[in-house]
């Protein structure tokens, strides 16, 4: 049976101008038509669920390329919890994403492999949840972060250990491999500008991941580490704080289609925090790096580096469900409104390597979509406004809506969340 969604303004996630008076048809969880009503021919067999959305705005479900489901925004960034509680925390945070219209999330540092169990439970239909792209553990050299984030890190020193660490993540079901190439902001003794892995280790990691057909996401702030990662052939550069220091490297990323995932929201949340429980070292390091991160995005964007949205939710005061505010901060740093939105839809799918079936509302793509009663292109903050968000669809079924809705019962998934 087809679902025909009529009378919508379609923002399809490709960067194309919005289409007023559009129609979107879903057949077997995929989009079978998305475009102007004039190009659509109605099938008169009556075997259709029709939905008139009275001019509301329909977008692809958003994709967040950098989250930590094991964190809930704890001010001191201390995520740990007993095993059972951690599994429930990961599930709860995953659901907060879905109820906010983030239908796909890429987790770049889970906890004791529990996120793989949560994904299995979601895939079996036992719980509502977003589509999960998982990295498993964050592969790091020996350093203090490994104790601070005990369930997240996999310490590996030297080429052989690095290869083994990659194989472990692949064995556990990782879709992507995450590597910490430089120091971190959210580790007390971490120096973001310092390079951690040596060139041979970075190259070995990328080679081993690619051997299994896995992409590599590299955490890197300092320019030396960014250079090593980019030249080794990573797919996405996470943070990229000091990238602005090397314009030739920016050109190289643009030519080779290496994505930048800037993660700006967390820094602004911390700097603007009234929460005095933020440790001084987290505050100081964010103040020192935030301006640099924003200028790196601006330069990379202007040079044509592909940009994907990653909010880093889970980190201090950066809450699951508020992810879409990252799109606003990317626009504030210099991206056009439409390009900022594409970074969370079509471009985000490309960053994951899933663009052939995900990320835009075009014929043949998975029917993941979000519906707003206001136009998010007029104010990107609307993307994260839960009163404006009307409902969320994943695989052609409603997975989140408000109470007291007027939506056809046949369109509901087995488990439905409240927005
Ligand atoms: Zn992160």
């Amino acid at each position: 049976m087809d679902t025909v969604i009529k009378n919508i303004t379609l923002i399809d996630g490709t960067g194309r101008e919005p289409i007023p008076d559009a129609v979107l048809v879903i057949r077997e969880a995929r989009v079978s038509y998305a475009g102007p009503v004039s190009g659509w021919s109605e099938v008169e067999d009556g075997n259709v669920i029709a939905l008139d959305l009275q001019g509301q705005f329909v977008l692809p479900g958003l994709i967040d390329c950098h989250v930590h489901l094991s964190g809930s925004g704890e001010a001191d960034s201390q995520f740990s919890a007993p095993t059972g509680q951690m599994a429930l925390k990961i599930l709860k945070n995953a659901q907060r994403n879905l109820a906010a219209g983030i239908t796909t999330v890429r987790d770049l540092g889970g906890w004791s492999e529990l996120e793989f169990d949560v994904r299995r439970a979601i895939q079996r239909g036992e719980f509502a949840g977003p589509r999960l792209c998982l990295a498993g553990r964050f592969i790091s050299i020996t350093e203090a972060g490994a104790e601070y984030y005990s369930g997240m890190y996999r310490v590996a020193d030297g080429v052989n250990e690095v290869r083994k660490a990659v194989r472990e993540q692949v064995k556990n079901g990782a879709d992507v491999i995450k590597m910490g190439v430089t120091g971190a902001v959210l580790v007390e003794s971490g120096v973001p500008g310092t390079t951690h892995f040596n060139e041979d280790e970075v190259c070995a990691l990328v080679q081993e991941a690619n051997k299994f057909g896995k992409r590599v996401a590299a955490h890197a702030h300092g320019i030396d580490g960014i250079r090593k990662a980019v030249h080794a052939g990573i797919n996405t550069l996470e943070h990229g704080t000091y990238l602005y220091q090397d314009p030739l490297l920016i050109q190289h990323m643009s030519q080779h289609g290496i994505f930048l995932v800037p993660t700006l929201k967390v820094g602004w949340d911390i700097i603007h925090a009234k929460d005095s429980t933020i440790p001084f070292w987290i505050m100081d390091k964010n103040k020192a790096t935030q301006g640099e991160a924003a200028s790196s995005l601006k330069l990379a964007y202007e040079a044509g580096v592909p940009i994907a949205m990653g909010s880093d939710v889970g980190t201090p005061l950066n809450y699951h469900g508020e992810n879409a505010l990252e799109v606003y901060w990317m626009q504030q740093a210099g991206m056009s409104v439409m390009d900022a939105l594409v970074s969370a839809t079509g471009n985000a799918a490309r960053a994951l390597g899933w663009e052939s079936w995900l990320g835009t509302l075009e014929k043949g793509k998975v029917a993941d979509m979000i519906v707003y009663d206001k136009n998010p292109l007029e104010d990107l903050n609307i993307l994260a406004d839960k009163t404006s968000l009307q409902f969320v669809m994943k695989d052609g079924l409603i997975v989140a809506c408000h109470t007291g809705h007027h939506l056809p019962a046949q369109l509901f998934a087995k488990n439905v969340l409240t927005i």
Side-chain angles (χ1 to χ4, degrees):
M1 187 175 303
D2 287 0
T3 302
V4 178
I5 305 179
K6 292 184 207 180
N7 200 0
I8 57 172
T9 300
L10 177 68
I11 303 171
D12 69 6
T14 62
R16 221 174 275 145
E17 282 300 302
I19 304 170
D21 199 10
V23 173
L24 193 146
V25 183
I26 303 166
R27 178 173 293 173
E28 286 166 2
R30 300 261 174 165
V31 176
S32 66
Y33 178 81
V37 65
S38 54
W40 169 66
S41 47
E42 193 158 6
V43 187
E44 298 280 354
D45 63 359
N47 207 7
V48 147
I49 307 168
L51 198 55
D52 182 337
L53 291 184
Q54 300 172 358
Q56 291 182 332
F57 298 84
V58 175
L59 287 70
L62 301 181
I63 302 171
D64 191 333
C65 296
H66 189 138
V67 312
H68 297 281
L69 295 172
S70 51
S72 295
E74 293 86 349
D76 59 359
S77 205
Q78 230 346 321
F79 295 178
S80 62
T83 305
Q85 279 182 37
M86 181 55 92
L88 293 170
K89 184 179 170 188
I90 289 170
L91 175 62
K92 184 77 193 167
N93 285 335
Q95 293 187 335
R96 285 193 174 109
N97 283 269
L98 186 64
I102 321 296
T103 49
T104 301
V105 302
R106 184 172 71 156
D107 185 290
L108 290 184
W111 204 271
S112 303
E113 289 73 45
L114 295 166
E115 66 279 9
F116 294 101
D117 290 325
V118 169
R119 178 167 67 181
R120 274 187 284 274
I122 292 170
Q123 285 172 342
R124 281 196 299 256
E126 292 163 11
F127 297 96
R131 189 170 279 106
L132 297 180
C133 177
L134 300 176
R137 292 190 186 236
F138 177 114
I139 301 176
S140 163
I141 63 160
T142 295
E143 58 121 348
E147 278 154 37
Y148 202 68
Y149 301 100
S150 59
M152 185 189 293
Y153 276 49
R154 165 50 162 107
V155 167
D157 294 298
V159 165
N160 288 341
E161 266 299 298
V162 162
R163 289 190 190 277
K164 189 174 180 191
V166 171
R167 291 171 193 174
E168 284 172 10
Q169 308 320 305
V170 173
K171 179 200 79 173
N172 291 330
D175 304 287
V176 56
I177 303 299
K178 171 80 177 288
M179 157 178 55
V181 183
T182 70
V185 172
L186 293 174
V187 174
E188 186 166 4
S189 60
V191 181
T194 300
T195 307
H196 278 185
F197 278 118
N198 297 329
E199 195 179 334
D200 59 344
E201 294 167 312
V202 180
C203 290
L205 185 142
V206 173
Q207 193 188 55
E208 196 67 21
N210 290 170
K211 194 176 89 184
F212 294 103
K214 306 298 177 190
R215 295 181 160 234
V216 176
H219 158 112
H221 295 285
I223 194 65
D224 176 69
I226 294 176
R227 254 183 230 126
K228 286 190 168 70
V230 165
H231 288 309
I234 58 154
N235 302 93
T236 63
L237 170 63
E238 310 299 313
H239 317 303
T241 305
Y242 297 106
L243 178 62
Y244 73 91
Q245 293 172 350
D246 191 343
L248 282 177
L249 194 67
I250 293 178
Q251 288 300 332
H252 179 94
M253 286 179 68
S254 172
Q255 283 154 8
H256 289 80
I258 297 172
F259 279 80
L260 173 65
V261 182
T263 69
L264 300 177
K265 175 181 182 298
V266 55
W268 293 122
D269 286 347
I270 290 169
I271 289 169
H272 296 149
K274 295 184 181 69
D275 188 335
S276 56
T277 58
I278 288 278
F280 73 91
W281 58 270
I282 291 183
M283 181 61 88
D284 289 353
K285 281 206 269 182
N286 271 286
K287 283 183 175 161
T289 56
Q290 191 66 11
E292 271 88 346
S295 23
S296 289
L297 168 57
K298 186 168 191 291
L299 288 179
Y301 170 65
E302 287 168 358
V305 173
I307 312 290
M309 188 276 271
S311 63
D312 218 352
V313 286
T315 51
L317 314 185
N318 188 11
Y319 304 107
H320 292 274
E322 295 180 357
N323 323 45
L325 292 174
E326 178 73 20
V327 181
Y328 165 80
W329 286 116
M330 293 166 94
Q331 183 258 325
Q332 290 291 301
M335 292 181 77
S336 77
V337 170
M338 186 57 97
D339 287 342
L341 181 64
V342 169
S343 78
T345 54
N347 256 15
R350 285 173 57 213
L352 270 51
W354 289 358
E355 71 275 14
S356 65
W357 53 276
L358 187 75
T360 58
L361 291 173
E362 296 175 288
K363 189 173 184 204
K365 300 281 179 85
V366 162
D368 284 4
M369 69 188 79
I370 49 181
V371 178
Y372 292 91
D373 66 354
K374 295 194 190 78
N375 185 358
L377 297 176
E378 281 170 13
D379 175 4
L380 288 169
N381 287 302
I382 291 169
L383 289 174
D385 177 7
K386 293 195 169 181
T387 56
S388 247
L389 178 62
Q390 301 299 299
F391 65 88
V392 180
M393 262 190 173
K394 183 183 158 211
D395 292 319
L397 293 174
I398 294 166
V399 288
C401 65
H402 294 279
T403 49
H405 58 82
H406 299 283
L407 294 162
Q410 308 99 296
L411 288 182
F412 280 84
K414 192 167 81 179
N415 299 297
V416 181
L417 303 172
T418 304
I419 291 173

mmCIF file of all heavy atoms in Angstrom, residues 66-68 79 108-109 138 152 178 186 219 238-239 263 311-313 315, ligand 1:
data_model
loop_
_atom_site.group_PDB
_atom_site.id
_atom_site.type_symbol
_atom_site.label_atom_id
_atom_site.label_comp_id
_atom_site.label_asym_id
_atom_site.label_seq_id
_atom_site.Cartn_x
_atom_site.Cartn_y
_atom_site.Cartn_z
ATOM 1 N N HIS A 66 28.429 12.854 14.430
ATOM 2 C CA HIS A 66 29.352 12.754 15.569
ATOM 3 C C HIS A 66 28.578 12.895 16.877
ATOM 4 O O HIS A 66 28.254 14.000 17.298
ATOM 5 C CB HIS A 66 30.436 13.837 15.469
ATOM 6 C CG HIS A 66 31.547 13.679 16.456
ATOM 7 N ND1 HIS A 66 32.875 13.879 16.120
ATOM 8 C CD2 HIS A 66 31.555 13.341 17.772
ATOM 9 C CE1 HIS A 66 33.639 13.673 17.184
ATOM 10 N NE2 HIS A 66 32.862 13.356 18.206
ATOM 11 N N VAL A 67 28.258 11.780 17.493
ATOM 12 C CA VAL A 67 27.617 11.805 18.813
ATOM 13 C C VAL A 67 28.318 10.792 19.724
ATOM 14 O O VAL A 67 29.097 9.944 19.267
ATOM 15 C CB VAL A 67 26.097 11.455 18.756
ATOM 16 C CG1 VAL A 67 25.385 12.246 17.670
ATOM 17 C CG2 VAL A 67 25.866 9.973 18.566
ATOM 18 N N HIS A 68 28.028 10.916 21.028
ATOM 19 C CA HIS A 68 28.446 9.913 22.015
ATOM 20 C C HIS A 68 27.211 9.515 22.809
ATOM 21 O O HIS A 68 26.781 10.249 23.700
ATOM 22 C CB HIS A 68 29.526 10.477 22.941
ATOM 23 C CG HIS A 68 30.778 10.837 22.203
ATOM 24 N ND1 HIS A 68 31.704 9.885 21.822
ATOM 25 C CD2 HIS A 68 31.233 12.014 21.737
ATOM 26 C CE1 HIS A 68 32.690 10.482 21.156
ATOM 27 N NE2 HIS A 68 32.427 11.773 21.088
ATOM 28 N N PHE A 79 31.353 10.075 31.988
ATOM 29 C CA PHE A 79 30.206 9.334 31.455
ATOM 30 C C PHE A 79 29.880 8.065 32.246
ATOM 31 O O PHE A 79 28.783 7.561 32.152
ATOM 32 C CB PHE A 79 30.492 8.873 30.012
ATOM 33 C CG PHE A 79 30.652 9.972 28.995
ATOM 34 C CD1 PHE A 79 30.952 9.651 27.672
ATOM 35 C CD2 PHE A 79 30.491 11.304 29.325
ATOM 36 C CE1 PHE A 79 31.093 10.637 26.706
ATOM 37 C CE2 PHE A 79 30.635 12.301 28.364
ATOM 38 C CZ PHE A 79 30.946 11.961 27.056
ATOM 39 N N LEU A 108 30.742 8.003 17.643
ATOM 40 C CA LEU A 108 32.201 7.921 17.459
ATOM 41 C C LEU A 108 32.939 7.685 18.772
ATOM 42 O O LEU A 108 33.931 8.339 19.071
ATOM 43 C CB LEU A 108 32.707 9.201 16.783
ATOM 44 C CG LEU A 108 32.307 9.357 15.309
ATOM 45 C CD1 LEU A 108 32.927 10.604 14.699
ATOM 46 C CD2 LEU A 108 32.698 8.134 14.485
ATOM 47 N N GLY A 109 32.477 6.755 19.538
ATOM 48 C CA GLY A 109 33.109 6.417 20.812
ATOM 49 C C GLY A 109 32.013 5.949 21.737
ATOM 50 O O GLY A 109 31.343 6.770 22.368
ATOM 51 N N PHE A 138 37.130 4.184 20.641
ATOM 52 C CA PHE A 138 37.996 5.267 20.172
ATOM 53 C C PHE A 138 39.428 4.742 20.307
ATOM 54 O O PHE A 138 39.887 4.482 21.424
ATOM 55 C CB PHE A 138 37.719 6.443 21.102
ATOM 56 C CG PHE A 138 38.509 7.700 20.927
ATOM 57 C CD1 PHE A 138 37.868 8.865 20.507
ATOM 58 C CD2 PHE A 138 39.862 7.773 21.243
ATOM 59 C CE1 PHE A 138 38.572 10.064 20.399
ATOM 60 C CE2 PHE A 138 40.564 8.961 21.133
ATOM 61 C CZ PHE A 138 39.917 10.110 20.707
ATOM 62 N N MET A 152 35.301 3.640 26.765
ATOM 63 C CA MET A 152 35.265 4.190 25.408
ATOM 64 C C MET A 152 36.553 3.946 24.635
ATOM 65 O O MET A 152 36.530 3.770 23.429
ATOM 66 C CB MET A 152 34.994 5.696 25.463
ATOM 67 C CG MET A 152 34.813 6.338 24.100
ATOM 68 S SD MET A 152 34.752 8.135 24.153
ATOM 69 C CE MET A 152 33.215 8.411 25.038
ATOM 70 N N LYS A 178 37.245 4.863 14.474
ATOM 71 C CA LYS A 178 37.554 6.178 15.055
ATOM 72 C C LYS A 178 38.952 6.145 15.662
ATOM 73 O O LYS A 178 39.290 5.230 16.407
ATOM 74 C CB LYS A 178 36.526 6.510 16.151
ATOM 75 C CG LYS A 178 36.861 7.751 16.998
ATOM 76 C CD LYS A 178 36.492 9.039 16.313
ATOM 77 C CE LYS A 178 36.760 10.278 17.162
ATOM 78 N NZ LYS A 178 35.846 10.458 18.283
ATOM 79 N N LEU A 186 38.595 17.512 26.014
ATOM 80 C CA LEU A 186 37.857 17.001 27.168
ATOM 81 C C LEU A 186 38.615 15.928 27.962
ATOM 82 O O LEU A 186 38.013 15.052 28.568
ATOM 83 C CB LEU A 186 36.483 16.490 26.716
ATOM 84 C CG LEU A 186 35.549 17.602 26.209
ATOM 85 C CD1 LEU A 186 34.271 17.025 25.630
ATOM 86 C CD2 LEU A 186 35.219 18.597 27.321
ATOM 87 N N HIS A 219 39.835 12.008 14.953
ATOM 88 C CA HIS A 219 39.791 13.139 15.884
ATOM 89 C C HIS A 219 41.137 13.841 15.776
ATOM 90 O O HIS A 219 42.178 13.218 16.018
ATOM 91 C CB HIS A 219 39.565 12.593 17.307
ATOM 92 C CG HIS A 219 40.000 13.507 18.412
ATOM 93 N ND1 HIS A 219 39.116 14.115 19.267
ATOM 94 C CD2 HIS A 219 41.239 13.914 18.805
ATOM 95 C CE1 HIS A 219 39.781 14.860 20.135
ATOM 96 N NE2 HIS A 219 41.068 14.754 19.885
ATOM 97 N N GLU A 238 37.416 15.023 12.278
ATOM 98 C CA GLU A 238 36.544 15.472 13.369
ATOM 99 C C GLU A 238 37.222 16.625 14.106
ATOM 100 O O GLU A 238 38.392 16.543 14.458
ATOM 101 C CB GLU A 238 36.286 14.312 14.339
ATOM 102 C CG GLU A 238 35.829 13.018 13.664
ATOM 103 C CD GLU A 238 34.521 13.158 12.894
ATOM 104 O OE1 GLU A 238 33.568 13.733 13.453
ATOM 105 O OE2 GLU A 238 34.470 12.694 11.732
ATOM 106 N N HIS A 239 36.483 17.686 14.332
ATOM 107 C CA HIS A 239 36.930 18.925 15.002
ATOM 108 C C HIS A 239 37.759 19.795 14.047
ATOM 109 O O HIS A 239 37.318 20.851 13.650
ATOM 110 C CB HIS A 239 37.687 18.661 16.316
ATOM 111 C CG HIS A 239 37.058 17.609 17.178
ATOM 112 N ND1 HIS A 239 35.753 17.698 17.606
ATOM 113 C CD2 HIS A 239 37.524 16.422 17.662
ATOM 114 C CE1 HIS A 239 35.448 16.620 18.326
ATOM 115 N NE2 HIS A 239 36.505 15.824 18.373
ATOM 116 N N THR A 263 32.010 20.217 14.717
ATOM 117 C CA THR A 263 31.562 20.141 16.130
ATOM 118 C C THR A 263 31.690 21.464 16.892
ATOM 119 O O THR A 263 32.411 21.563 17.876
ATOM 120 C CB THR A 263 32.301 19.019 16.926
ATOM 121 O OG1 THR A 263 33.674 19.369 17.105
ATOM 122 C CG2 THR A 263 32.222 17.681 16.236
ATOM 123 N N SER A 311 27.389 17.059 16.020
ATOM 124 C CA SER A 311 27.162 17.941 17.176
ATOM 125 C C SER A 311 28.026 17.581 18.380
ATOM 126 O O SER A 311 28.176 18.385 19.289
ATOM 127 C CB SER A 311 25.697 17.856 17.594
ATOM 128 O OG SER A 311 25.419 16.522 18.023
ATOM 129 N N ASP A 312 28.589 16.358 18.398
ATOM 130 C CA ASP A 312 29.324 15.867 19.584
ATOM 131 C C ASP A 312 28.418 15.817 20.822
ATOM 132 O O ASP A 312 28.903 15.919 21.945
ATOM 133 C CB ASP A 312 30.577 16.727 19.852
ATOM 134 C CG ASP A 312 31.770 15.897 20.320
ATOM 135 O OD1 ASP A 312 31.613 14.683 20.587
ATOM 136 O OD2 ASP A 312 32.874 16.458 20.453
ATOM 137 N N VAL A 313 27.089 15.661 20.633
ATOM 138 C CA VAL A 313 26.199 15.589 21.803
ATOM 139 C C VAL A 313 26.601 14.430 22.709
ATOM 140 O O VAL A 313 27.108 13.406 22.261
ATOM 141 C CB VAL A 313 24.690 15.463 21.451
ATOM 142 C CG1 VAL A 313 24.130 16.782 20.939
ATOM 143 C CG2 VAL A 313 24.431 14.327 20.487
ATOM 144 N N THR A 315 28.673 15.298 25.202
ATOM 145 C CA THR A 315 29.741 16.043 25.886
ATOM 146 C C THR A 315 29.120 17.140 26.767
ATOM 147 O O THR A 315 27.914 17.391 26.689
ATOM 148 C CB THR A 315 30.702 16.628 24.838
ATOM 149 O OG1 THR A 315 29.943 17.329 23.848
ATOM 150 C CG2 THR A 315 31.502 15.523 24.154
HETATM 151 ZN ZN1 LIG B 1 33.446 13.333 20.152
#
